[in-house]
Amino acid sequence: EDQVTQSPEALRLQEGESSSLNCSYTVSGLRGLFWYRQDPGKGPEFLFTLYSAGEEKEKERLKATLTKKESFLHITAPKPEDSATYLCAVQGINKFYFGSGTKLNVKP
Amino acid sequence: ETGVTQSPTHLIKTRGQQVTLRCSSQSGHNTVSWYQQALGQGPQFIFQYYREEENGRGNFPPRFSGLQFPNYSSELNVNALELDDSALYLCASSSQGGETQYFGPGTRLLVL
């Protein structure tokens, strides 16, 4: 069964405390893996697209990596404004699969 | 460059009614996808439209249907509403040959 699993479900960090979010997937015909940020009551905001194992993308304090079975979103020295739900999505054959997200809370 | 827009922002319906939600894609995008997001969950893929044809569908019953128009805008129609249809409905657009999707702000539907 095609599915995407994210862990942890929730993560509380102190400002400046680096960590990683995990996204594991079992999807046939992978065409791309996507990371989004979602604030409460709003639509997901695009962060990264990864297409092949070994690929890495960076943006400010965020870095996304991809292997054959999972992806990591590394957050370096987070700030309170990084608090949000981070969603991972995988595109299979004519379908998209989202994980349930990791809710990140960064305390000042 | 305008982003993805959706209307209405909020909607209240009663069980058994029908609803139509609307989406305008980002300029230059010709593919539209619809998602249902229940509270505390990730978005669930409903279907995708490309060049006015359904191009993929998730595990949703036939009472969920859609349309895409020549200007690439789209509608999601839900018939015989059920209480479990209460959710945030998201529209996303992407360009031909590109899989990255850009989301609108969503329509919050409440079924009583």
Side-chain angles (χ1 to χ4, degrees):
Chain A
E1 180 185 354
D2 293 331
Q3 64 180 7
V4 175
T5 304
Q6 291 188 245
S7 61
E9 290 184 7
L11 183 62
R12 300 179 72 176
L13 299 174
Q14 287 296 127
E15 183 172 3
E17 179 186 3
S18 301
S19 188
S20 296
L21 314 182
N22 178 262
C23 170
S24 62
Y25 59 91
T26 53
V27 174
S28 307
L30 175 73
R31 294 186 62 183
L33 184 141
F34 312 91
W35 283 97
Y36 290 88
R37 168 193 171 127
Q38 187 174 30
D39 293 303
K42 296 189 176 181
E45 176 189 342
F46 170 71
L47 294 174
F48 302 110
T49 302
L50 301 168
Y51 291 107
S52 56
E55 191 174 358
E56 299 182 352
K57 294 274 181 73
E58 284 189 71
K59 178 182 178 181
E60 297 180 353
R61 295 177 293 282
L62 300 176
K63 178 181 177 180
T65 62
L66 179 64
T67 71
K68 286 188 176 179
K69 292 297 182 187
E70 59 188 351
S71 176
F72 292 93
L73 184 65
H74 307 280
I75 303 177
T76 302
K79 298 182 178 181
E81 53 262 41
D82 294 323
S83 297
T85 295
Y86 290 84
L87 295 166
C88 171
V90 173
Q91 182 182 12
I93 301 172
N94 293 336
K95 288 187 179 182
F96 291 84
Y97 303 88
F98 271 82
S100 295
T102 293
K103 188 172 183 179
L104 175 64
N105 186 7
V106 182
K107 295 284 193 178
Chain B
E1 180 179 279
T2 55
V4 179
T5 60
Q6 293 186 241
S7 64
T9 56
H10 295 82
L11 203 52
I12 300 175
K13 291 285 188 178
T14 56
R15 193 170 49 184
Q17 285 188 313
Q18 177 265 341
V19 68
T20 297
L21 309 182
R22 295 178 175 82
C23 171
S24 292
S25 60
Q26 183 169 312
S27 60
H29 287 181
N30 59 11
T31 303
V32 173
S33 300
W34 285 92
Y35 293 83
Q36 179 194 68
Q37 187 175 26
L39 205 59
Q41 300 297 315
Q44 297 293 312
F45 177 66
I46 302 175
F47 43 56
Q48 183 180 81
Y49 276 83
Y50 171 64
R51 292 185 174 179
E52 304 175 55
E53 297 285 333
E54 188 179 289
N55 188 42
R57 189 179 182 95
N59 296 327
F60 280 81
R63 62 188 184 85
F64 286 79
S65 63
L67 283 173
Q68 187 180 30
F69 300 99
N71 67 353
Y72 306 127
S73 66
S74 178
E75 288 183 352
L76 165 65
N77 298 290
V78 186
N79 294 321
L81 283 167
E82 301 177 358
L83 297 180
D84 285 348
D85 294 334
S86 296
L88 180 68
Y89 287 85
L90 295 162
C91 170
S93 73
S94 57
S95 60
Q96 182 178 9
E99 289 78 19
T100 299
Q101 300 185 347
Y102 296 88
F103 282 82
T107 293
R108 175 73 63 186
L109 173 65
L110 177 61
V111 182
L112 301 176

